[in-house]
Amino acid sequence: MLQAATGPLGSLFGDARVRPDLLRRQSHIRWGAYPPGVIPLTAAEPDFPGPQAVTDALARSLSDGYFPYASPAGLDELRETYSDVAEARYGISAAPDRVVLTPGTASALWGVVRLLCGEGDECILLDPVDLLFGQAIDAAGARRVYCPVDKSTGRLDPDRLASLITPRTALICLCNPHNPLGTVFTEATLRAIAETAQTHGVPILSDEVWNEIVYPPAAHVSMAGLDSAESRQIYTVTGLSKTFALPGLRMGFVIAPDASAAVNLQLTFQYLGAAYSLTPFTQVGALAALRHGWPWRDSFVQHLHETRNYCVERLNAIPGISCTRPDGTFVLFPDISSSGLSSRAMAEFLLAEARVAVVAGTTEWFGPAAEGNIRISYATSRGMLEEALNRVERAVADLTSASSAA
């Protein structure tokens, strides 16, 4: 059985570290979006402060009171540091001139899609998957083509994906580890998709922002790290938001297939205005995280591993709810179809009756296949999760009793 982290780092994830009063002022799309008394398990942002090294670096950077513009291309030092991290941790041998800095991973997705897709193109995306992919495709004037992912197993069929490619296909969009299913795709699956893409000359956008939130024995494989020619057409997107609990820092990275593609992507970001959203302070914080934040990350993943196991067991004990055990991310996607409620109705019911907020598995959030599920973020303390799940259990029991009486 996994033991709780101890010492200074382990104490960072205890109940006392989650402060609803402060979070309601600071976390506007999670805690601040609901009245006092509601426990929000919605947005995929942790309830814990990030690494102290980042806070200290930002404080030093801001102490002189000077707020300059940043270069749209960003700091050479940061691209070099990230290049070293990508090779050491993800097996991606990418020179710094292939690294493009972005103001967050959402911007990175939009930029890559805008670079590669246009009016009338088709883009393959997974179903279900996070809403950002579809939004970026729509904004580029392209058409969504959904490739199903088995919700019960998390399996993605490479042959099914290959069958969706047409002469209009401009891009294949992957999310690995997968949000919201938590699947960590196998190397065999990734190789098969890469080979198909190479055969048809279709580039791949691989969103790997969750690549550091993976639980043993699972292991994340970066598609661009595969020892094959297929990796030449892969745009790899990562960031700091999940790994170091820094969503508001707005720091993302794209590893382009080559230096020329990186230049074109940088120009696309400048055209969109996104490149000018980089700040010197964000980059200072990113450098601190990449150089000094890894012990914090290790302890964070250990905490998440424990809370994942606890939440899955609790949810599976509630009648009408079943939940698979994800290999990565810190979100769950339990199936609530046996409850008799739709995804939206269940989310509304839990908010009203349990005072717990979750994300409904609706098309607008995760695609057509998401119906019958809700998404829960568990990047909070054990005590907070116990209280939230106690509330859910009581509310669903009352619902079941009322249904039986009727």
Side-chain angles (χ1 to χ4, degrees):
M1 181 177 178
L2 204 64
Q3 297 298 312
T6 59
L9 285 175
S11 65
L12 292 177
F13 307 106
D15 293 342
R17 300 296 293 183
V18 178
R19 298 176 52 190
D21 55 339
L22 177 61
L23 288 167
R24 284 197 166 83
R25 295 197 300 271
Q26 301 283 4
S27 176
H28 299 293
I29 66 170
R30 183 166 171 162
W31 286 86
Y34 299 95
V38 172
I39 299 176
L41 305 179
T42 50
E45 65 175 28
D47 287 343
F48 305 106
Q52 186 63 42
V54 176
T55 301
D56 292 343
L58 288 170
R60 289 192 298 270
S61 177
L62 295 168
S63 63
D64 62 7
Y66 186 53
F67 291 78
Y69 287 119
S71 163
L75 296 174
D76 291 342
E77 183 181 11
L78 180 54
R79 287 197 303 277
E80 292 164 1
T81 298
Y82 184 76
S83 174
D84 292 341
V85 168
E87 182 165 12
R89 297 186 71 89
Y90 316 135
I92 304 175
S93 297
D97 63 2
R98 287 175 53 194
V99 176
V100 180
L101 307 182
T102 70
T105 53
S107 295
L109 297 178
W110 278 61
V112 174
V113 172
R114 179 60 66 93
L115 171 67
L116 300 175
C117 305
E119 197 75 33
D121 287 335
E122 294 178 352
C123 297
I124 297 174
L125 72 165
L126 306 183
D127 188 22
V129 79
D130 183 77
L131 79 164
L132 291 174
F133 291 94
Q135 289 180 340
I137 292 167
D138 294 347
R143 186 173 76 86
R144 306 184 192 189
V145 177
Y146 288 106
C147 179
V149 181
D150 189 309
K151 290 194 294 182
S152 61
T153 66
R155 184 175 180 273
L156 171 60
D157 183 350
D159 292 334
R160 179 67 182 274
L161 188 148
S163 72
L164 300 174
I165 296 177
T166 74
R168 290 180 176 271
T169 304
L171 183 63
I172 296 169
C173 299
L174 297 180
C175 182
N176 179 38
H178 183 277
N179 173 18
L181 297 179
T183 304
V184 179
F185 294 120
T186 66
E187 181 175 333
T189 295
L190 297 176
R191 284 191 181 278
I193 295 171
E195 289 168 4
T196 294
Q198 178 72 8
T199 298
H200 293 274
V202 179
I204 295 172
L205 164 57
S206 184
D207 174 8
E208 301 179 14
V209 71
W210 294 95
N211 61 355
E212 291 283 353
I213 312 297
V214 176
Y215 311 112
H220 176 262
V221 175
S222 179
M223 182 174 277
L226 296 175
D227 185 18
S228 64
E230 291 82 34
S231 63
R232 286 198 297 260
Q233 294 193 89
I234 297 167
Y235 292 76
T236 305
V237 172
T238 65
L240 306 180
S241 58
K242 315 305 180 187
T243 304
F244 300 111
L246 298 171
L249 194 66
R250 309 311 297 157
M251 187 72 243
F253 306 89
V254 181
I255 299 177
D258 52 49
S260 176
V263 170
N264 291 334
L265 181 58
Q266 180 65 48
L267 292 173
T268 299
F269 281 120
Q270 290 183 225
Y271 171 75
L272 294 172
Y276 295 99
S277 297
L278 285 171
T279 73
F281 318 109
T282 288
Q283 295 174 79
V284 165
L287 278 168
L290 293 172
R291 289 172 173 170
H292 308 296
W294 298 108
W296 185 98
R297 172 266 174 198
D298 294 344
S299 189
F300 182 43
V301 171
Q302 186 172 340
H303 168 76
L304 292 172
H305 195 166
E306 295 172 331
T307 54
R308 177 205 66 169
N309 293 344
Y310 170 75
C311 290
V312 169
E313 291 172 5
R314 286 292 308 272
L315 287 166
N316 281 326
I318 300 174
I321 297 179
S322 64
C323 185
T324 58
R325 191 183 304 271
D327 287 329
T329 77
F330 48 72
V331 297
L332 301 172
F333 205 52
D335 186 321
I336 52 85
S337 55
S338 295
S339 69
L341 297 181
S342 68
S343 296
R344 189 183 302 278
M346 176 59 83
E348 292 172 350
F349 170 78
L350 292 178
L351 181 59
E353 301 300 327
R355 306 281 285 169
V356 174
V358 300
V359 183
T362 57
T363 298
E364 64 187 289
W365 286 108
F366 304 112
E371 179 54 51
N373 295 75
I374 56 174
R375 198 190 73 171
I376 293 173
S377 172
Y378 57 90
T380 188
S381 72
R382 174 65 172 265
M384 190 64 69
L385 289 166
E386 286 182 0
E387 173 60 24
L389 292 173
N390 286 343
R391 295 183 187 186
V392 170
E393 185 176 51
R394 289 193 296 266
V396 173
D398 290 344
L399 174 65
T400 303
S401 297
S403 299
S404 299

